Amino acid sequence: MATVPLKDELDIVIPTIRNLDFLEMWRPFFEQYHLIIVQDGDPSKTIKVPDGFDYDLYNRNDINKILGPRASCISFKDSACRCFGYMVSKKKYIFTIDDDCFVAKDPSGKDINALEQHIKNLLCPSTPYFFNTLYDPFRDGADFVRGYPFSLREGVSTAVSHGLWLNIPDYDAPTQLVKPLERNTRYVDTVLTIPKGTLFPMCGMNLAFDRDLIGPAMYFGLMGDGQPIGRYDDMWAGWCCKVICDHLGLGIKTGLPYIYHSKASNPFVNLKKEYNGIFWQEEIIPFFQQMNLSKESTTVQKCYVEMAKQVNEKLGKIDPYFVKLSDAMITWIEAWDELNPPTKDSDKATNAASK
């Protein structure tokens, strides 16, 4: 039997409100791994998981019990609750996927093992300081092109692997409304490092990351029940992660692998959730583009706390929500550190990354 890459070093995190029948199609790829299922919504509802999977399931009662008063930083009635799974994991790597994401096929008709490709992305260096026109130089059949500086060819550690979707694209509500029938059928066989200083809209439905390198920054914010915004959870985490990766000298890749996104969400419901964000993002994005983190911020936690203070000072002027979000960001770090006390090894990893 083929060896299973990172079998004991990776958790699969799935947020859900329904029975996880979709796991049947992922069985050949997921069965050997440990799953962390974060049940959103009514905790008295029973979620059925197909036989044969090794998993832990956490509902809202569990979150409240484990985090106590700090549970306020975990969103309710929103897939942002998935980040609780990142916090309770004890593994080095996380792959997270939505329950409406199915196995995609490559152009030859073969099933795509999304997890295997994410692992390849994470285990190969990134090249954020100079763009390689043949894309990822570490893939088979590619290399650094003529003119690529030899001093930069070692690359840097990859913290995040951001995968894409066939069928239903990840559009915002206005785009959904004007293009209701649009489907993504283009399979582009490419992995790119996102250059230093460039932000991107991170989607959380097909995403993997190195928890040791960037985990504490993967907070999906305050969304959903009782909040004035939704559907910005993954993007908020992406902006925070990208600024911190740039500061600490880490890389983020995007492109392969693809999953098949099976279900379009309701654009009118989405518009209600996104309405404030569509306005706010015009100020949030320049805020992140102009952000400078101090030399004293040498760990992800220190970066994130410094970032939270800037959110309070600068974005708090837009809406009181950002003051609340800033407090939640600090609560998240406190909860993370309580469940994941720093070890000498994790300090070494962070210091190595920041050199």
Side-chain angles (χ1 to χ4, degrees):
M1 189 177 162
T3 55
V4 180
L6 304 182
K7 177 182 183 297
D8 301 317
E9 295 180 75
L10 182 142
D11 277 334
I12 300 173
V13 175
I14 305 166
T16 194
I17 55 169
R18 57 181 68 84
N19 294 336
L20 292 179
D21 305 332
F22 93 115
L23 284 173
E24 280 300 347
M25 74 171 64
W26 287 103
R27 188 180 287 280
F29 307 130
F30 289 2
E31 197 171 26
Q32 299 296 314
Y33 293 90
H34 177 252
L35 313 182
I36 296 177
I37 298 159
V38 184
Q39 178 180 341
D40 196 18
D42 181 3
S44 66
K45 186 180 170 190
T46 302
I47 299 280
K48 288 182 184 154
V49 181
D51 291 341
F53 286 94
D54 169 33
Y55 69 92
D56 289 313
L57 188 147
Y58 299 91
N59 62 30
R60 194 69 206 189
N61 295 341
D62 301 314
I63 294 171
N64 292 339
K65 193 172 160 189
I66 292 165
L67 295 185
R70 291 188 176 129
S72 61
C73 73
I74 304 296
S75 299
F76 185 56
K77 294 191 177 168
D78 193 283
S79 67
C81 68
R82 80 177 77 220
C83 62
F84 176 77
Y86 310 160
M87 186 188 275
V88 293
S89 170
K90 298 296 172 218
K91 305 285 174 62
K92 178 170 167 55
Y93 299 99
I94 296 283
F95 169 51
T96 185
I97 186 169
D98 284 5
D99 60 15
D100 62 351
C101 293
F102 299 168
V103 177
K105 292 191 183 299
D106 70 15
S108 73
K110 187 178 164 218
D111 283 352
I112 296 167
N113 183 346
L115 182 49
E116 182 181 56
Q117 180 65 47
H118 276 300
I119 290 169
K120 282 181 185 169
N121 293 350
L122 289 171
L123 295 183
C124 282
S126 291
T127 52
Y129 301 122
F130 201 88
F131 189 80
N132 191 51
T133 50
L134 263 187
Y135 312 120
D136 189 342
F138 298 100
R139 286 188 74 198
D140 289 343
D143 211 322
F144 292 99
V145 296
R146 184 170 55 87
Y148 201 100
F150 284 88
S151 58
L152 294 177
R153 292 191 183 195
E154 248 181 63
V156 302
S157 299
T158 301
V160 181
S161 170
H162 177 257
L164 298 174
W165 348 269
L166 292 170
N167 195 39
I168 308 286
D170 186 26
Y171 284 164
D172 54 35
T175 310
Q176 275 184 299
L177 285 165
V178 295
K179 294 182 165 183
L181 301 178
E182 186 151 291
R183 298 293 178 265
N184 182 33
T185 56
R186 287 195 321 143
Y187 177 96
V188 182
D189 187 10
T190 299
V191 179
L192 295 173
T193 295
I194 300 172
K196 184 179 180 183
T198 301
L199 294 176
F200 75 112
M202 188 172 85
C203 169
M205 68 173 131
N206 173 23
L207 180 74
F209 61 93
D210 184 322
R211 201 172 160 277
D212 289 354
L213 288 180
I214 200 64
M218 272 289 175
Y219 175 46
F220 276 41
L222 285 178
M223 302 282 150
D225 203 41
Q227 308 302 340
I229 186 173
R231 284 172 56 83
Y232 274 82
D233 50 337
D234 42 9
M235 289 186 291
W236 179 264
W239 297 327
C240 293
C241 284
K242 186 60 170 67
V243 170
I244 291 174
C245 282
D246 285 352
H247 177 72
L248 294 178
L250 299 167
I252 296 181
K253 292 183 178 181
T254 187
L256 301 182
Y258 283 93
I259 51 82
Y260 182 89
H261 186 209
S262 65
K263 194 172 95 264
S265 45
N266 184 316
F268 296 100
V269 172
N270 289 349
L271 187 59
K272 259 179 112 168
K273 292 178 182 177
E274 291 171 4
Y275 183 79
N276 284 322
I278 288 168
F279 290 100
W280 291 347
Q281 71 185 12
E282 300 304 322
E283 293 179 70
I284 295 170
I285 290 167
F287 161 76
F288 280 108
Q289 285 171 327
Q290 291 151 24
M291 183 180 289
N292 284 310
L293 296 170
S294 65
K295 276 193 296 200
E296 290 70 42
S297 290
T298 53
T299 66
V300 176
Q301 281 94 326
K302 284 177 185 171
C303 290
Y304 204 72
V305 169
E306 184 181 347
M307 193 175 265
K309 288 174 183 166
Q310 292 192 39
V311 168
N312 188 327
E313 286 163 25
K314 295 178 180 167
L315 296 183
K317 294 170 188 164
I318 300 175
D319 193 274
Y321 164 74
F322 291 100
V323 177
K324 197 160 91 169
L325 176 57
S326 161
D327 290 343
M329 290 167 76
I330 289 169
T331 303
W332 160 264
I333 291 294
E334 290 167 354
W336 183 282
D337 283 346
E338 190 180 335
L339 292 183
N340 303 277
T343 63
K344 283 182 181 164
D345 285 350
S346 66
D347 288 344
K348 275 186 209 157
T350 310
N351 289 337
S354 60
K355 277 174 186 167

